Amino acid sequence: MNQDFISRLEDILETEQILQNEPMDRHTTFRIGGPADLFVVPSDKEQVRKIVQICREEGMPYYIIGNGSNLLVSDKGYRGVVIQLYTRMYGIYPDGDKICAQAGASLAKIAAAALKEGLTGFEFAAGIPGTLGGACIMNAGAYGGEMKDVLEEITVLTKEGEISTISRENLDMGYRTSAAAKNGCTVLEAVIKLEKGDKEAIQKKMEELKEKRISKQPLEYPSAGSTFKRPKGYFAGKLIQDAGLRGCRIGGAMVSEKHCGFVINAGGATAADVDALIRHISEKVKEHAGVTLEPEVKRLGEF
């Protein structure tokens, strides 16, 4: 990695915020991935803006992540800069019936903060393993709730490198998409608007949803959550099961026997294993049901 480039980053970041040849299996929920040339952990939105500006000026590839919950990183790693928001940009600030939070804050911790404040409406997100930034980009949802139901506004870094705010009426959120995603924006922080509720009722609902997840999802294995988007009129897990793929395995990657919508790291899986299994599933479901499955998992690096 070019030392002049690193020196420019050192002008705005502390030494401990810049890691070289960082193994990405430490930073993805799949527990898979080779080294990133540089791995940087900004503390605030202005640092993110400056890092991206430097990368663009120097022609350096970069990729922004939260906690890597929806990411498959190549075994060869990533030739560029991974900008991770999870380690330092995790602030959560309740304010009346609203919660302001940085993009790296986990949805589980935001839900816990809402419970503490007696705010209802965010229970659906308590068990989603991702961070706020990614959840806003993809309109994450579960058990009848979606981010579009609770977002007041989001602050983003535009593809032109400017920090801007998008209000609720302009979020344009749909199934696994948003205006921010369509326009190539990176979410930096968001304001969530909830309602006053009964703490006992909120906690009870969170516990009920947690039990549902534990009983139906393979949470004991590393994975990236649901591997495929839901095809219109179908359920991906049911299509995969009907194609006879329950327990199907390539190397250490396996279709979960508990929930066929999950590809799991059953032990020692490589990114190549997971990628091959995802492609195999897609082919078999297309052959069996005539339905094209679209992966929800993002690939990073060379495959």
Side-chain angles (χ1 to χ4, degrees):
M1 178 62 71
N2 185 298
Q3 189 56 48
D4 289 339
F5 175 77
I6 295 175
S7 294
R8 290 194 68 184
L9 292 178
E10 288 175 339
D11 288 340
I12 60 170
L13 300 171
E14 300 296 328
T15 303
E16 62 268 22
Q17 290 177 269
I18 306 171
L19 302 174
Q20 296 190 52
N21 298 313
E22 177 68 6
M24 288 301 294
D25 58 2
R26 299 176 182 174
H27 306 288
T28 66
T29 56
F30 255 135
R31 298 291 174 256
I32 292 171
D37 287 346
L38 278 186
F39 185 88
V40 299
V41 286
S43 299
D44 56 48
K45 58 188 178 185
E46 189 58 28
Q47 285 188 352
V48 177
R49 186 188 70 77
K50 289 178 179 177
I51 294 165
V52 169
Q53 181 180 353
I54 291 169
C55 288
R56 287 177 171 168
E57 289 173 357
E58 298 286 344
M60 183 66 66
Y62 67 91
Y63 194 84
I64 301 174
I65 71 170
N67 68 337
S69 61
N70 202 35
L71 191 63
L72 180 65
V73 180
S74 167
D75 301 311
K76 299 174 184 177
Y78 180 63
R79 305 286 72 80
V81 181
V82 172
I83 305 168
Q84 192 235 44
L85 308 185
Y86 180 63
T87 300
R88 292 183 175 229
M89 288 181 61
Y90 55 78
I92 300 170
Y93 312 101
D95 181 17
D97 63 351
K98 298 178 182 179
I99 295 178
C100 306
Q102 291 179 295
S106 79
L107 298 179
K109 288 185 178 178
I110 295 172
L115 170 61
K116 186 177 179 181
E117 297 295 318
L119 297 174
T120 185
F122 207 72
E123 294 91 333
F124 75 91
I128 298 175
T131 53
L132 179 60
C136 293
I137 286 285
M138 65 182 292
N139 186 28
Y143 299 114
E146 293 179 285
M147 292 302 296
K148 71 179 180 63
D149 303 327
V150 297
L151 283 175
E152 179 86 351
E153 65 180 33
I154 61 175
T155 300
V156 301
L157 182 69
T158 68
K159 61 183 178 182
E160 292 77 28
E162 299 172 352
I163 293 175
S164 178
T165 299
I166 304 176
S167 59
R168 180 184 181 89
E169 56 268 23
N170 295 316
L171 292 175
D172 191 23
M173 304 184 92
Y175 178 69
R176 299 298 181 263
T177 190
S178 65
K182 294 169 188 171
N183 294 320
C185 298
T186 297
V187 175
L188 301 172
E189 56 191 33
V191 178
I192 298 162
K193 190 174 189 307
L194 303 171
E195 297 179 0
K196 285 292 182 182
D198 178 73
K199 283 189 180 182
E200 287 188 10
I202 295 167
Q203 184 154 21
K204 183 180 179 184
K205 185 172 182 180
M206 286 172 63
E207 289 172 354
E208 288 173 352
L209 294 181
K210 181 180 178 181
E211 287 304 314
K212 278 187 180 181
R213 285 183 181 277
I214 290 171
S215 65
K216 294 182 179 179
Q217 298 180 7
L219 303 181
E220 64 273 27
Y221 290 98
S223 77
S226 297
T227 307
F228 298 94
K229 294 180 181 179
R230 186 178 68 241
K232 193 169 184 178
Y234 299 91
F235 291 100
K238 181 71 163 54
L239 289 169
I240 295 166
Q241 178 179 317
D242 290 349
L245 296 169
R246 181 187 294 276
C248 179
R249 185 164 183 156
I250 294 179
M254 186 173 82
V255 175
S256 168
E257 294 181 327
K258 184 185 280 189
H259 190 313
C260 291
F262 286 65
V263 168
I264 60 172
N265 179 352
T270 64
D273 292 340
V274 174
D275 185 55
L277 183 55
I278 287 174
R279 294 179 190 280
H280 178 69
I281 293 166
S282 298
E283 290 170 5
K284 291 301 180 183
V285 168
K286 181 71 172 176
E287 287 175 12
H288 183 267
V291 178
T292 300
L293 291 179
E294 183 182 351
E296 197 164 297
V297 179
K298 307 293 184 186
R299 294 178 175 90
L300 180 62
E302 184 183 332
F303 283 87

